[in-house]
Amino acid sequence: MRTQEKCRLEEPENDHTRESCQKTIEFFNSQIDELSNTIQKIIDESHELQKILKAVPGIGKKLSQDFLCLIPELGYLNRREVASLAGVAPHPRESGKAVGYRRIIGGRSNVRKKLFIAVMSAERSKSVLGAFYSKLVESGKKKMVAITALMRKIIVIANARLKEAINLHTITTVTEIG
């Protein structure tokens, strides 16, 4: 939207339009700065969670930061909920006796794009996830199906590890208080 306003500013019809465009651009700049500061605050406060996420094959520093910002619910959901939220849950296309392929739909598309990046790294690794991908492809699955299965596996593993860490932190906090 800021870019659109900048384009409008290049060819204003009158001074009132120019002034309106400049005020709108200033507003968008302030909103972008505010969001950037909030994101940086989340990143700065979550070093321990980032370490846990970076332990998952395919997830590095940038992706761990992105996941913590894009999915603040991570660590509080069950495996089905987190897969659906990330947009990698299979949805059947069935009606009566007709059975179609399952498709991934819905969820947060920006998270799904980030998961795709994680999969490209994990599938080439010598980790358990790389072996999982190879096994799926060798058993006759289409590569895109194997990639989708790996995306789901990565987000479920990340969620489980964060859930474990959060539960452990809660237990130690309760123990310290009691």
Side-chain angles (χ1 to χ4, degrees), residues 127-163:
S127 67
V128 174
L129 295 179
F132 174 75
Y133 174 80
S134 298
K135 182 180 135 191
L136 288 175
V137 172
E138 288 169 6
S139 68
K141 298 286 183 193
K142 294 179 182 176
K143 286 188 177 184
M144 201 60 208
V145 171
I147 286 172
T148 304
L150 195 53
M151 287 182 354
R152 180 183 171 105
K153 194 166 200 71
I154 287 173
I155 197 69
V156 167
I157 290 170
N159 183 60
R161 288 191 180 173
L162 284 180
K163 185 181 279 189

Side-chain angles (χ1 to χ4, degrees), residues 8-103:
R8 287 187 193 102
L9 186 61
E10 290 177 6
E11 298 293 329
E13 295 177 9
N14 56 42
D15 290 337
H16 178 70
T17 306
R18 178 185 299 267
E19 185 178 323
S20 174
C21 289
Q22 288 173 339
K23 285 181 182 178
T24 306
I25 291 169
E26 289 172 11
F27 171 75
F28 286 135
N29 285 338
S30 69
Q31 289 296 302
I32 289 169
D33 291 342
E34 187 177 320
L35 283 172
S36 297
N37 291 338
T38 303
I39 289 170
Q40 190 59 47
K41 183 179 175 185
I42 292 170
I43 290 169
D44 291 342
E45 292 174 352
S46 61
H47 289 295
E48 293 301 317
L49 298 177
Q50 285 182 41
K51 287 180 186 175
I52 294 166
L53 285 176
K54 287 193 288 187
V56 177
I59 298 179
K61 180 181 177 183
K62 180 67 175 138
L63 284 176
S64 67
Q65 293 172 353
D66 290 345
F67 286 156
L68 290 173
C69 292
L70 297 172
I71 315 176
E73 305 91 347
L74 205 59
Y76 297 98
L77 304 173
N78 66 37
R79 63 188 175 92
R80 288 182 180 94
E81 291 171 335
V82 77
S84 185
L85 186 64
V88 293
H91 295 280
R93 300 201 78 184
E94 301 172 353
S95 177
K97 293 182 180 180
V99 178
Y101 288 109
R102 293 176 182 266
R103 306 218 189 286

